Amino acid sequence: MKPSVLPYLKLFLLFAFGGVTTAHVPDQDVLASLRELPLDGHFSFHDVSTAARDFGNLSTFMPAAVLHPGSVDDIATTVRHIFLRGEHSMLTVAARGHGHSLRGQCQAAGGIVIKMESLPTAKMKVHSGASPYVDASGGELWINVLHETFKYGLAPKSWTDYLHLTIGGTLSNAGVSGQTFRHGPQISNVKELEIVTGRGDIVTCSSEQNSDLFHAALGGLGQFGIITRARIALEPAPKMVRWIRVLYSDFTSFTEDQEMLISAEMSFDYIEGFVIINRTGILNNWRSSFNPQDPEWSSQFESDGRVLFCLEMTKNYNPEEADNMEQEVNNLLYLLRYIPPSLFHTDVTYIEFLDRVHSSEVKLRAKGMWEVPHPWLNLMIPKSSIHTFAKEVFGKILKDSNNSPILLYPVNKFRWDNRTSVVIPDEEIFYLVGFLSSAPSSSGPHSVEHTLNLNNQIIEFSDKAGIGVKQYLPNYNSEQDWKAHFEARWATFLQRKNAYDPLAILAPGQGIFQKASLSLSS
């Protein structure tokens, strides 16, 4: 074995979500055996520190090796090799896309991280027709999918707010944004998957073929297989977007207007809301580059110690349809109860709107403000509890100045497929609430410690008040918490784990199953 491997044979601590335990380190024979695998790509056993970090910047777990796959077969060969070593091998595997997880979910302490963006991506195949779709690699970024499909006048139906994420990454969670109310999450718009299971098998699946694995992997947190290809449903893509923001001072009007819009047959194409607590610059934030047509007038709005609510909407159109768009927008705005002088809008291209967060990312990177800790908290809250939740959280827990975006918008339950692994509140309308905090300071109100304390207060209140919260991008600290998250669906989740990854090789960073003490009979 080469000397470069030795530093990675030291013991390191693994936060196992049930306490701190000692990670099992692969022995020399295991690492040597990886070198002998017939691969199109290669392993790295040194300079693996990048694979030990993610967007959250809250967890750092060093892997023993990073696989740079030259083919899907490389991924299958590696996983199968580990599987065949049996239950006594403690080696685990994590698929890492763009590394946008928050709490080390794409990391594998002492294991193997697969760099999915290294997977050679065959040219994306766009199929037009009555039911258009695109076939793309699981390691492909959504922004690249958009640019390719747009050449054909097409685009995926459902998005995330940030497009520089991999297909496999978002489909392993759900993929939500302002189009979710109409088209459902991204996982509701998938026709077919290719998956490498925890046994090392390459399986093509859909709702008709190998359907249990198909639905298990969608929103499955990487527990049942690594998504190496996806067939995504498309729709005609507009050229332009009317981008609108209006302000509310009354939470009831704000939520009722949103609920009306997501239930209407004729509505906007994108609907999100966010909360503004005692700050200026309220019509803009790091998530977007919204430039209202009257910037001087918009700069006059300050929350000034109050909690305000911003409703953000878009209407898609082509230039020749501008008159019709204006009429439809005016008809919809007439129904809303926002503060009358607070109507602002701008017109941008469809691609500019969808890629709005990236333009802000570039600015933050230039200031050294992007790669800071991000102690985010994402929740799904039933409609029946949203007022109780808002009164306590926005009126008391977060009563001081908050400069980070807080998203709050409703979606329709019937747009979600209950055969997938995602767990959502059991009400016809529920809210997605995201506390997208950055923590650039080591102390004070913008520190990790302070922000995590606020997050804990929010969760503790929600549990005590019976809000019925479900976490999105969940992070739980014990098996009991995971069981409570899945409730009656835990048995199905466990059964699927036993079928597709019985040795708990995959996605150890989620903290659901520990390889050393896996019990699939409970």
Side-chain angles (χ1 to χ4, degrees):
M1 183 178 58
K2 294 183 179 180
S4 61
V5 179
L6 293 177
Y8 303 101
L9 296 181
K10 295 180 179 179
L11 295 180
F12 20 151
L13 294 178
L14 168 65
F15 181 68
F17 292 83
V20 177
T21 63
T22 301
H24 292 262
V25 179
D27 59 26
Q28 296 183 22
D29 290 340
V30 172
L31 294 177
S33 69
L34 295 177
R35 293 181 180 278
E36 299 301 319
L37 292 178
L39 301 176
D40 298 310
H42 67 280
F43 279 102
S44 290
F45 297 95
H46 56 85
D47 192 24
V48 296
S49 58
T50 300
R53 298 180 58 205
D54 60 17
F55 178 73
N57 269 309
L58 299 171
S59 306
T60 303
F61 301 137
M62 197 72 70
V66 173
L67 172 63
H68 304 263
S71 64
V72 174
D73 284 341
D74 282 1
I75 299 174
T77 296
T78 300
V79 175
R80 188 181 308 116
H81 174 75
I82 297 169
F83 177 75
L84 291 176
R85 296 188 75 87
E87 60 185 5
H88 298 295
S89 168
M90 299 312 301
L91 209 58
T92 57
V93 175
R96 174 188 171 90
H98 210 49
H100 210 73
S101 63
L102 299 175
R103 300 298 290 265
Q105 290 94 333
C106 65
Q107 299 173 33
I112 297 171
V113 170
I114 300 177
K115 186 174 173 57
M116 294 299 292
E117 287 184 279
S118 295
L119 186 65
T121 55
K123 182 175 175 60
M124 277 181 274
K125 297 179 180 179
V126 178
H127 298 259
S128 56
S131 299
Y133 63 85
V134 59
D135 279 318
S137 165
E140 191 66 82
L141 297 180
W142 282 100
I143 183 63
N144 296 335
V145 175
L146 173 60
H147 284 301
E148 182 63 24
T149 59
F150 202 74
K151 296 175 184 177
Y152 298 82
L154 300 167
K157 300 177 180 181
S158 189
W159 296 98
T160 54
D161 287 332
Y162 180 59
L163 303 191
H164 294 252
L165 305 171
T166 59
I167 288 176
T170 65
L171 295 186
S172 294
N173 290 282
V176 296
S177 185
Q179 301 89 359
T180 301
F181 80 94
R182 170 168 289 171
H183 297 295
Q186 290 183 315
I187 59 173
S188 292
N189 296 277
V190 180
K191 294 177 176 285
E192 185 179 280
L193 295 173
E194 178 186 77
I195 294 172
V196 176
T197 71
R199 298 174 182 269
D201 298 323
I202 302 175
V203 182
T204 298
C205 54
S206 66
S207 57
E208 292 81 30
Q209 177 186 9
N210 299 310
S211 60
D212 185 64
L213 176 58
F214 177 73
H215 293 117
L218 293 172
L221 305 176
Q223 294 301 301
F224 313 109
I226 297 169
I227 296 172
T228 53
R229 180 182 59 82
R231 179 167 291 179
I232 310 296
L234 303 176
E235 66 176 356
K239 291 183 174 64
M240 299 295 297
V241 165
R242 170 63 57 88
W243 186 3
I244 304 162
R245 285 181 175 176
V246 293
L247 296 175
Y248 290 75
S249 57
D250 177 62
F251 187 71
T252 298
S253 299
F254 173 64
T255 53
E256 288 180 353
D257 280 1
Q258 287 192 88
E259 292 164 13
M260 179 272 294
L261 288 174
I262 70 164
S263 302
E265 183 175 347
M266 296 293 295
S267 189
F268 291 101
D269 297 297
Y270 160 101
I271 298 169
E272 284 193 11
F274 53 93
V275 183
I276 303 135
I277 301 176
N278 190 25
R279 65 183 175 91
T280 58
I282 60 180
L283 289 174
N284 216 332
N285 55 57
W286 65 259
R287 292 180 60 254
S288 64
S289 296
F290 181 78
N291 296 307
Q293 288 190 332
D294 189 348
E296 183 176 352
W297 174 242
S298 68
S299 67
Q300 303 302 311
F301 284 86
E302 299 179 3
S303 57
D304 191 24
R306 299 175 296 162
V307 177
L308 294 178
F309 310 95
C310 181
L311 178 55
E312 181 176 55
M313 307 153 289
T314 69
K315 193 68 175 177
N316 301 336
Y317 71 98
N318 293 316
E320 64 273 16
E321 304 163 342
D323 290 343
N324 289 337
M325 177 275 296
E326 292 273 6
Q327 186 61 52
E328 291 177 11
V329 166
N330 289 336
N331 290 342
L332 288 167
L333 290 175
Y334 179 76
L335 302 174
L336 305 182
R337 293 168 289 174
Y338 57 88
I339 301 171
S342 71
L343 171 62
F344 300 96
H345 73 265
T346 187
D347 290 325
V348 296
T349 67
Y350 188 56
I351 290 179
E352 284 175 333
F353 173 72
L354 291 178
D355 201 28
R356 62 198 179 279
V357 176
H358 180 61
S359 60
S360 296
E361 175 192 351
V362 172
K363 298 175 184 176
L364 289 173
R365 284 189 181 278
K367 298 177 181 178
M369 294 293 292
W370 183 258
E371 294 182 356
V372 299
H374 295 98
W376 288 8
L377 177 65
N378 293 278
L379 306 174
M380 297 184 282
I381 299 175
K383 171 187 171 181
S384 62
S385 301
I386 195 63
H387 286 265
T388 302
F389 179 87
K391 183 177 180 180
E392 177 71 17
V393 173
F394 306 138
K396 297 180 181 178
I397 297 176
L398 301 179
K399 62 181 181 298
D400 296 326
S401 177
N402 187 294
N403 288 314
S404 299
I406 302 174
L407 304 183
L408 190 151
Y409 58 96
V411 294
N412 296 304
K413 179 187 175 184
F414 75 91
R415 300 292 187 187
W416 298 62
D417 190 333
N418 63 9
R419 295 172 294 179
T420 68
S421 293
V422 172
V423 180
I424 60 176
D426 190 21
E427 287 191 10
E428 289 308 311
I429 291 177
F430 61 92
Y431 278 79
L432 297 170
V433 183
F435 301 90
L436 310 186
S437 302
S438 299
S441 304
S442 58
S443 61
H446 303 301
S447 66
V448 170
E449 181 181 7
H450 179 75
T451 305
L452 290 177
N453 179 53
L454 292 176
N455 289 349
N456 289 334
Q457 288 184 50
I458 293 169
I459 293 172
E460 289 172 5
F461 161 73
S462 299
D463 290 343
K464 184 177 180 180
I467 297 296
V469 162
K470 293 296 180 185
Q471 285 193 30
Y472 177 66
L473 308 177
N475 173 53
Y476 296 105
N477 296 326
S478 69
E479 182 177 315
Q480 181 179 356
D481 288 337
W482 280 109
K483 287 183 177 180
H485 173 72
F486 284 103
E487 296 184 292
R489 301 179 67 182
W490 174 251
T492 299
F493 197 83
L494 205 59
Q495 180 182 13
R496 287 170 164 175
K497 185 69 172 179
N498 191 38
Y500 306 117
D501 183 28
L503 300 185
I505 291 169
L506 302 176
Q510 294 285 358
I512 305 174
F513 302 103
Q514 296 179 45
K515 196 169 185 184
S517 58
L518 181 64
S519 174
L520 295 181
S521 60
S522 60

